[in-house]
């Protein structure tokens, strides 16, 4: 795809059966990339924080894939909110495995400066989406010009 900057965080390696990863493709240089293991009963969930230099305060991008259980997701989002407390400009994106009005998502948005520009666009399952479990959240310091889900 000719992206000059990329990164792969392997969270779970199941031999020849499967390899679960979080990845980044970017046209912009990164200042710092950090791998985080997300809390949870079962290992293998991770978050990738990517810091970009800007003319002012740095911006952080958090890419993640949350657990299936509600309690684990809440703990994972609490962990992420601690990371975000150091940043004025942030984007959090990934498969959250929950709807925007779930308790854990409501908690995150009430306890951070994150908002979801559009919460009604279905993303799952990919062949006939009717649920929204994949989200892109941004801090109120960022302006979103367009939101859509690709076919």
């Amino acid at each position: 795809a000719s992206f000059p900057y990329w990164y792969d965080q392997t969270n779970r390696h199941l031999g020849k059966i499967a390899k679960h990863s979080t990845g980044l493709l970017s046209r912009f240089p990164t200042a710092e990339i950090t791998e985080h293991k997300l809390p949870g009963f079962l290992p293998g969930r991770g978050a990738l924080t990517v810091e970009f230099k800007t003319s002012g305060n740095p911006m952080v991008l958090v890419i993640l894939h949350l657990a299936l259980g509600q309690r684990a997701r809440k703990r994972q989002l609490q962990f992420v909110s601690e990371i975000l407390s150091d940043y004025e400009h942030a984007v959090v994106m990934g498969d959250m495995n929950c709807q925007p009005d779930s308790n854990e998502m409501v908690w995150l948005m009430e306890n951070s400066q994150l908002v979801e520009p559009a919460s009604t666009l279905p993303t799952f399952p990919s062949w006939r989406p009717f649920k929204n479990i994949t989200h892109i959240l941004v801090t109120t310091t960022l302006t979103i010009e367009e939101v859509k889900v690709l076919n």
Side-chain angles (χ1 to χ4, degrees):
S2 299
F3 287 95
Y5 307 97
W6 62 273
Y7 193 84
D8 170 53
Q9 172 196 26
T10 300
N11 296 311
R12 188 179 290 151
H13 195 297
L14 303 173
K16 295 180 180 181
I17 298 171
K19 186 176 179 181
H20 301 170
S21 299
T22 304
L24 167 77
L25 298 172
S26 177
R27 290 188 175 89
F28 306 102
T30 59
E32 185 176 341
I33 298 176
T34 307
E35 293 185 14
H36 302 275
K37 294 196 179 300
L38 291 175
F41 180 70
L42 296 173
R45 299 287 180 173
L48 196 60
T49 57
V50 183
E51 191 173 300
F52 294 92
K53 288 184 181 176
T54 62
S55 58
N57 293 329
M59 186 192 85
V60 68
L61 168 65
V62 180
I63 306 168
L64 44 72
H65 188 170
L66 298 181
L68 297 175
Q70 183 179 26
R71 249 181 23 199
R73 285 194 304 268
K74 176 115 187 241
R75 286 183 46 219
Q76 292 168 348
L77 289 175
Q78 288 169 336
F79 177 84
V80 169
S81 73
E82 291 174 21
I83 294 169
L84 296 174
S85 66
D86 293 335
Y87 296 93
E88 181 182 0
H89 311 295
V91 176
V92 177
M93 61 192 299
D95 184 344
M96 310 267 190
N97 277 316
C98 59
Q99 302 273 7
D101 60 351
S102 67
N103 290 336
E104 56 274 32
M105 288 290 285
V106 169
W107 180 92
L108 178 64
M109 289 186 266
E110 287 176 352
N111 290 278
S112 69
Q113 291 189 33
L114 293 172
V115 295
E116 186 164 21
S119 63
T120 59
L121 300 174
T123 60
F124 179 84
S126 60
W127 57 89
R128 191 180 304 150
F130 68 93
K131 283 179 145 181
N132 180 13
I133 62 171
T134 305
H135 305 278
I136 300 176
L137 309 172
V138 298
T139 51
T140 55
T141 60
L142 300 174
T143 303
I144 304 303
E145 295 180 3
E146 182 181 12
V147 178
K148 62 182 175 179
V149 174
L150 301 177
N151 187 358

mmCIF file of all heavy atoms in Angstrom, residues 118-151:
data_model
loop_
_atom_site.group_PDB
_atom_site.id
_atom_site.type_symbol
_atom_site.label_atom_id
_atom_site.label_comp_id
_atom_site.label_asym_id
_atom_site.label_seq_id
_atom_site.Cartn_x
_atom_site.Cartn_y
_atom_site.Cartn_z
ATOM 1 N N ALA A 118 -19.951 9.965 15.109
ATOM 2 C CA ALA A 118 -21.169 9.333 14.578
ATOM 3 C C ALA A 118 -21.301 7.972 15.238
ATOM 4 O O ALA A 118 -20.389 7.160 15.145
ATOM 5 C CB ALA A 118 -21.093 9.183 13.072
ATOM 6 N N SER A 119 -22.403 7.730 15.906
ATOM 7 C CA SER A 119 -22.530 6.458 16.618
ATOM 8 C C SER A 119 -23.584 5.539 16.021
ATOM 9 O O SER A 119 -23.846 4.487 16.557
ATOM 10 C CB SER A 119 -22.857 6.723 18.088
ATOM 11 O OG SER A 119 -24.104 7.375 18.186
ATOM 12 N N THR A 120 -24.187 5.915 14.931
ATOM 13 C CA THR A 120 -25.267 5.102 14.371
ATOM 14 C C THR A 120 -24.862 4.324 13.121
ATOM 15 O O THR A 120 -25.685 3.627 12.550
ATOM 16 C CB THR A 120 -26.473 5.998 14.022
ATOM 17 O OG1 THR A 120 -26.049 6.984 13.082
ATOM 18 C CG2 THR A 120 -27.035 6.663 15.262
ATOM 19 N N LEU A 121 -23.619 4.446 12.705
ATOM 20 C CA LEU A 121 -23.181 3.746 11.490
ATOM 21 C C LEU A 121 -22.841 2.295 11.822
ATOM 22 O O LEU A 121 -21.947 2.028 12.622
ATOM 23 C CB LEU A 121 -21.967 4.455 10.886
ATOM 24 C CG LEU A 121 -22.193 5.909 10.477
ATOM 25 C CD1 LEU A 121 -20.888 6.546 10.045
ATOM 26 C CD2 LEU A 121 -23.219 5.993 9.368
ATOM 27 N N PRO A 122 -23.519 1.314 11.214
ATOM 28 C CA PRO A 122 -23.251 -0.088 11.531
ATOM 29 C C PRO A 122 -21.926 -0.563 10.937
ATOM 30 O O PRO A 122 -21.551 -0.181 9.835
ATOM 31 C CB PRO A 122 -24.439 -0.821 10.904
ATOM 32 C CG PRO A 122 -24.921 0.078 9.822
ATOM 33 C CD PRO A 122 -24.600 1.484 10.255
ATOM 34 N N THR A 123 -21.215 -1.418 11.688
ATOM 35 C CA THR A 123 -19.906 -1.907 11.258
ATOM 36 C C THR A 123 -19.771 -3.435 11.338
ATOM 37 O O THR A 123 -18.774 -3.976 10.876
ATOM 38 C CB THR A 123 -18.799 -1.292 12.141
ATOM 39 O OG1 THR A 123 -19.030 -1.662 13.505
ATOM 40 C CG2 THR A 123 -18.772 0.218 12.007
ATOM 41 N N PHE A 124 -20.734 -4.125 11.948
ATOM 42 C CA PHE A 124 -20.589 -5.562 12.189
ATOM 43 C C PHE A 124 -21.913 -6.264 11.940
ATOM 44 O O PHE A 124 -22.951 -5.747 12.332
ATOM 45 C CB PHE A 124 -20.127 -5.800 13.630
ATOM 46 C CG PHE A 124 -19.981 -7.258 13.973
ATOM 47 C CD1 PHE A 124 -18.823 -7.934 13.654
ATOM 48 C CD2 PHE A 124 -21.011 -7.934 14.599
ATOM 49 C CE1 PHE A 124 -18.688 -9.276 13.967
ATOM 50 C CE2 PHE A 124 -20.891 -9.277 14.905
ATOM 51 C CZ PHE A 124 -19.735 -9.952 14.591
ATOM 52 N N PRO A 125 -21.902 -7.464 11.350
ATOM 53 C CA PRO A 125 -20.784 -8.116 10.676
ATOM 54 C C PRO A 125 -20.488 -7.446 9.339
ATOM 55 O O PRO A 125 -21.339 -6.759 8.774
ATOM 56 C CB PRO A 125 -21.269 -9.547 10.472
ATOM 57 C CG PRO A 125 -22.756 -9.451 10.433
ATOM 58 C CD PRO A 125 -23.126 -8.270 11.298
ATOM 59 N N SER A 126 -19.310 -7.655 8.839
ATOM 60 C CA SER A 126 -18.858 -6.921 7.654
ATOM 61 C C SER A 126 -19.719 -7.204 6.417
ATOM 62 O O SER A 126 -19.907 -6.331 5.579
ATOM 63 C CB SER A 126 -17.397 -7.247 7.351
ATOM 64 O OG SER A 126 -17.246 -8.634 7.100
ATOM 65 N N TRP A 127 -20.265 -8.423 6.283
ATOM 66 C CA TRP A 127 -21.019 -8.760 5.078
ATOM 67 C C TRP A 127 -22.441 -8.183 5.087
ATOM 68 O O TRP A 127 -23.030 -8.026 4.047
ATOM 69 C CB TRP A 127 -21.067 -10.271 4.871
ATOM 70 C CG TRP A 127 -21.650 -11.016 6.031
ATOM 71 C CD1 TRP A 127 -22.971 -11.317 6.235
ATOM 72 C CD2 TRP A 127 -20.959 -11.518 7.150
ATOM 73 N NE1 TRP A 127 -23.140 -11.982 7.413
ATOM 74 C CE2 TRP A 127 -21.896 -12.125 8.007
ATOM 75 C CE3 TRP A 127 -19.619 -11.530 7.546
ATOM 76 C CZ2 TRP A 127 -21.562 -12.724 9.208
ATOM 77 C CZ3 TRP A 127 -19.285 -12.131 8.738
ATOM 78 C CH2 TRP A 127 -20.237 -12.714 9.554
ATOM 79 N N ARG A 128 -23.004 -7.868 6.247
ATOM 80 C CA ARG A 128 -24.312 -7.226 6.338
ATOM 81 C C ARG A 128 -24.394 -6.518 7.693
ATOM 82 O O ARG A 128 -25.053 -6.978 8.622
ATOM 83 C CB ARG A 128 -25.437 -8.242 6.199
ATOM 84 C CG ARG A 128 -26.791 -7.553 6.028
ATOM 85 C CD ARG A 128 -27.962 -8.502 5.883
ATOM 86 N NE ARG A 128 -27.799 -9.432 4.782
ATOM 87 C CZ ARG A 128 -28.317 -10.649 4.757
ATOM 88 N NH1 ARG A 128 -29.037 -11.090 5.761
ATOM 89 N NH2 ARG A 128 -28.145 -11.436 3.719
ATOM 90 N N PRO A 129 -23.710 -5.389 7.816
ATOM 91 C CA PRO A 129 -23.613 -4.743 9.126
ATOM 92 C C PRO A 129 -24.956 -4.225 9.647
ATOM 93 O O PRO A 129 -25.737 -3.640 8.907
ATOM 94 C CB PRO A 129 -22.650 -3.585 8.891
ATOM 95 C CG PRO A 129 -22.355 -3.541 7.447
ATOM 96 C CD PRO A 129 -22.985 -4.694 6.777
ATOM 97 N N PHE A 130 -25.183 -4.510 10.932
ATOM 98 C CA PHE A 130 -26.371 -3.981 11.594
ATOM 99 C C PHE A 130 -26.061 -3.508 13.012
ATOM 100 O O PHE A 130 -26.909 -2.911 13.664
ATOM 101 C CB PHE A 130 -27.510 -5.012 11.603
ATOM 102 C CG PHE A 130 -27.238 -6.215 12.467
ATOM 103 C CD1 PHE A 130 -27.672 -6.250 13.791
ATOM 104 C CD2 PHE A 130 -26.556 -7.296 11.956
ATOM 105 C CE1 PHE A 130 -27.418 -7.361 14.580
ATOM 106 C CE2 PHE A 130 -26.293 -8.409 12.740
ATOM 107 C CZ PHE A 130 -26.728 -8.448 14.060
ATOM 108 N N LYS A 131 -24.844 -3.772 13.498
ATOM 109 C CA LYS A 131 -24.406 -3.337 14.832
ATOM 110 C C LYS A 131 -23.224 -2.395 14.692
ATOM 111 O O LYS A 131 -22.440 -2.513 13.756
ATOM 112 C CB LYS A 131 -23.934 -4.533 15.665
ATOM 113 C CG LYS A 131 -24.983 -5.378 16.244
ATOM 114 C CD LYS A 131 -24.305 -6.503 16.989
ATOM 115 C CE LYS A 131 -25.053 -6.892 18.220
ATOM 116 N NZ LYS A 131 -24.376 -7.972 18.934
ATOM 117 N N ASN A 132 -23.061 -1.518 15.657
ATOM 118 C CA ASN A 132 -21.897 -0.632 15.674
ATOM 119 C C ASN A 132 -21.022 -1.008 16.862
ATOM 120 O O ASN A 132 -21.294 -0.621 17.991
ATOM 121 C CB ASN A 132 -22.338 0.831 15.779
ATOM 122 C CG ASN A 132 -21.158 1.773 15.803
ATOM 123 O OD1 ASN A 132 -20.043 1.375 15.517
ATOM 124 N ND2 ASN A 132 -21.394 3.005 16.132
ATOM 125 N N ILE A 133 -19.974 -1.788 16.593
ATOM 126 C CA ILE A 133 -19.042 -2.170 17.657
ATOM 127 C C ILE A 133 -17.619 -1.697 17.368
ATOM 128 O O ILE A 133 -16.738 -1.861 18.184
ATOM 129 C CB ILE A 133 -19.054 -3.694 17.920
ATOM 130 C CG1 ILE A 133 -18.603 -4.480 16.696
ATOM 131 C CG2 ILE A 133 -20.434 -4.139 18.394
ATOM 132 C CD1 ILE A 133 -18.377 -5.955 16.953
ATOM 133 N N THR A 134 -17.405 -1.121 16.204
ATOM 134 C CA THR A 134 -16.109 -0.545 15.849
ATOM 135 C C THR A 134 -16.266 0.963 15.924
ATOM 136 O O THR A 134 -17.164 1.527 15.320
ATOM 137 C CB THR A 134 -15.701 -0.968 14.427
ATOM 138 O OG1 THR A 134 -15.733 -2.393 14.354
ATOM 139 C CG2 THR A 134 -14.305 -0.474 14.094
ATOM 140 N N HIS A 135 -15.385 1.597 16.697
ATOM 141 C CA HIS A 135 -15.571 3.020 16.983
ATOM 142 C C HIS A 135 -14.301 3.817 16.726
ATOM 143 O O HIS A 135 -13.194 3.294 16.854
ATOM 144 C CB HIS A 135 -15.973 3.220 18.446
ATOM 145 C CG HIS A 135 -17.171 2.434 18.841
ATOM 146 N ND1 HIS A 135 -18.450 2.848 18.591
ATOM 147 C CD2 HIS A 135 -17.281 1.235 19.456
ATOM 148 C CE1 HIS A 135 -19.306 1.951 19.045
ATOM 149 N NE2 HIS A 135 -18.623 0.957 19.564
ATOM 150 N N ILE A 136 -14.493 5.074 16.397
ATOM 151 C CA ILE A 136 -13.419 6.064 16.372
ATOM 152 C C ILE A 136 -13.886 7.207 17.260
ATOM 153 O O ILE A 136 -14.887 7.860 16.966
ATOM 154 C CB ILE A 136 -13.114 6.560 14.948
ATOM 155 C CG1 ILE A 136 -12.681 5.396 14.061
ATOM 156 C CG2 ILE A 136 -12.031 7.645 15.002
ATOM 157 C CD1 ILE A 136 -12.458 5.772 12.607
ATOM 158 N N LEU A 137 -13.190 7.392 18.364
ATOM 159 C CA LEU A 137 -13.498 8.449 19.321
ATOM 160 C C LEU A 137 -12.394 9.496 19.246
ATOM 161 O O LEU A 137 -11.229 9.154 19.051
ATOM 162 C CB LEU A 137 -13.576 7.893 20.743
ATOM 163 C CG LEU A 137 -14.472 6.674 20.956
ATOM 164 C CD1 LEU A 137 -14.288 6.122 22.355
ATOM 165 C CD2 LEU A 137 -15.913 7.030 20.698
ATOM 166 N N VAL A 138 -12.755 10.748 19.410
ATOM 167 C CA VAL A 138 -11.763 11.833 19.353
ATOM 168 C C VAL A 138 -11.992 12.789 20.523
ATOM 169 O O VAL A 138 -13.106 12.902 21.037
ATOM 170 C CB VAL A 138 -11.850 12.624 18.017
ATOM 171 C CG1 VAL A 138 -11.562 11.722 16.831
ATOM 172 C CG2 VAL A 138 -13.199 13.282 17.857
ATOM 173 N N THR A 139 -10.937 13.480 20.918
ATOM 174 C CA THR A 139 -11.098 14.503 21.936
ATOM 175 C C THR A 139 -11.802 15.701 21.310
ATOM 176 O O THR A 139 -11.762 15.906 20.092
ATOM 177 C CB THR A 139 -9.743 14.948 22.521
ATOM 178 O OG1 THR A 139 -8.856 15.287 21.457
ATOM 179 C CG2 THR A 139 -9.134 13.869 23.390
ATOM 180 N N THR A 140 -12.422 16.485 22.147
ATOM 181 C CA THR A 140 -13.180 17.640 21.668
ATOM 182 C C THR A 140 -12.282 18.712 21.066
ATOM 183 O O THR A 140 -12.779 19.649 20.447
ATOM 184 C CB THR A 140 -14.011 18.239 22.818
ATOM 185 O OG1 THR A 140 -13.137 18.540 23.909
ATOM 186 C CG2 THR A 140 -15.084 17.255 23.279
ATOM 187 N N THR A 141 -10.967 18.574 21.198
ATOM 188 C CA THR A 141 -10.020 19.530 20.611
ATOM 189 C C THR A 141 -9.822 19.301 19.122
ATOM 190 O O THR A 141 -9.201 20.116 18.449
ATOM 191 C CB THR A 141 -8.651 19.443 21.309
ATOM 192 O OG1 THR A 141 -8.147 18.108 21.140
ATOM 193 C CG2 THR A 141 -8.764 19.773 22.788
ATOM 194 N N LEU A 142 -10.321 18.175 18.600
ATOM 195 C CA LEU A 142 -10.151 17.835 17.188
ATOM 196 C C LEU A 142 -11.466 18.036 16.441
ATOM 197 O O LEU A 142 -12.541 17.773 16.971
ATOM 198 C CB LEU A 142 -9.685 16.382 17.046
ATOM 199 C CG LEU A 142 -8.360 16.050 17.734
ATOM 200 C CD1 LEU A 142 -8.075 14.553 17.643
ATOM 201 C CD2 LEU A 142 -7.223 16.847 17.139
ATOM 202 N N THR A 143 -11.355 18.471 15.190
ATOM 203 C CA THR A 143 -12.527 18.696 14.354
ATOM 204 C C THR A 143 -12.626 17.584 13.317
ATOM 205 O O THR A 143 -11.669 17.322 12.591
ATOM 206 C CB THR A 143 -12.422 20.059 13.641
ATOM 207 O OG1 THR A 143 -12.273 21.075 14.624
ATOM 208 C CG2 THR A 143 -13.648 20.331 12.791
ATOM 209 N N ILE A 144 -13.788 16.950 13.238
ATOM 210 C CA ILE A 144 -14.033 15.886 12.272
ATOM 211 C C ILE A 144 -14.856 16.473 11.123
ATOM 212 O O ILE A 144 -15.890 17.084 11.346
ATOM 213 C CB ILE A 144 -14.797 14.714 12.924
ATOM 214 C CG1 ILE A 144 -14.039 14.200 14.141
ATOM 215 C CG2 ILE A 144 -15.069 13.608 11.907
ATOM 216 C CD1 ILE A 144 -12.629 13.751 13.861
ATOM 217 N N GLU A 145 -14.391 16.269 9.897
ATOM 218 C CA GLU A 145 -15.075 16.837 8.737
ATOM 219 C C GLU A 145 -16.032 15.863 8.077
ATOM 220 O O GLU A 145 -17.023 16.275 7.488
ATOM 221 C CB GLU A 145 -14.040 17.345 7.726
ATOM 222 C CG GLU A 145 -13.231 18.501 8.277
ATOM 223 C CD GLU A 145 -12.201 19.013 7.279
ATOM 224 O OE1 GLU A 145 -12.146 18.502 6.140
ATOM 225 O OE2 GLU A 145 -11.449 19.927 7.653
ATOM 226 N N GLU A 146 -15.735 14.567 8.140
ATOM 227 C CA GLU A 146 -16.592 13.579 7.472
ATOM 228 C C GLU A 146 -16.494 12.252 8.186
ATOM 229 O O GLU A 146 -15.417 11.864 8.638
ATOM 230 C CB GLU A 146 -16.161 13.414 6.010
ATOM 231 C CG GLU A 146 -17.004 12.456 5.231
ATOM 232 C CD GLU A 146 -16.528 12.285 3.787
ATOM 233 O OE1 GLU A 146 -15.423 12.721 3.451
ATOM 234 O OE2 GLU A 146 -17.285 11.696 3.007
ATOM 235 N N VAL A 147 -17.617 11.559 8.291
ATOM 236 C CA VAL A 147 -17.650 10.244 8.913
ATOM 237 C C VAL A 147 -18.420 9.306 7.996
ATOM 238 O O VAL A 147 -19.520 9.633 7.539
ATOM 239 C CB VAL A 147 -18.352 10.297 10.296
ATOM 240 C CG1 VAL A 147 -18.431 8.894 10.907
ATOM 241 C CG2 VAL A 147 -17.626 11.240 11.226
ATOM 242 N N LYS A 148 -17.835 8.130 7.695
ATOM 243 C CA LYS A 148 -18.537 7.131 6.886
ATOM 244 C C LYS A 148 -17.926 5.769 7.137
ATOM 245 O O LYS A 148 -16.816 5.659 7.654
ATOM 246 C CB LYS A 148 -18.479 7.483 5.405
ATOM 247 C CG LYS A 148 -17.091 7.523 4.806
ATOM 248 C CD LYS A 148 -17.158 7.939 3.332
ATOM 249 C CE LYS A 148 -15.761 8.107 2.763
ATOM 250 N NZ LYS A 148 -15.823 8.491 1.349
ATOM 251 N N VAL A 149 -18.671 4.753 6.790
ATOM 252 C CA VAL A 149 -18.200 3.378 6.875
ATOM 253 C C VAL A 149 -18.021 2.886 5.447
ATOM 254 O O VAL A 149 -18.937 3.012 4.626
ATOM 255 C CB VAL A 149 -19.205 2.476 7.631
ATOM 256 C CG1 VAL A 149 -18.765 1.023 7.585
ATOM 257 C CG2 VAL A 149 -19.361 2.957 9.060
ATOM 258 N N LEU A 150 -16.854 2.362 5.154
ATOM 259 C CA LEU A 150 -16.589 1.862 3.796
ATOM 260 C C LEU A 150 -17.241 0.494 3.609
ATOM 261 O O LEU A 150 -17.322 -0.301 4.545
ATOM 262 C CB LEU A 150 -15.083 1.763 3.562
ATOM 263 C CG LEU A 150 -14.301 3.063 3.702
ATOM 264 C CD1 LEU A 150 -12.814 2.809 3.506
ATOM 265 C CD2 LEU A 150 -14.801 4.096 2.714
ATOM 266 N N ASN A 151 -17.691 0.214 2.393
ATOM 267 C CA ASN A 151 -18.296 -1.059 2.076
ATOM 268 C C ASN A 151 -17.206 -2.120 2.020
ATOM 269 O O ASN A 151 -16.228 -1.976 1.369
ATOM 270 C CB ASN A 151 -19.037 -0.969 0.752
ATOM 271 C CG ASN A 151 -19.825 -2.221 0.453
ATOM 272 O OD1 ASN A 151 -19.789 -3.176 1.225
ATOM 273 N ND2 ASN A 151 -20.541 -2.224 -0.651
#
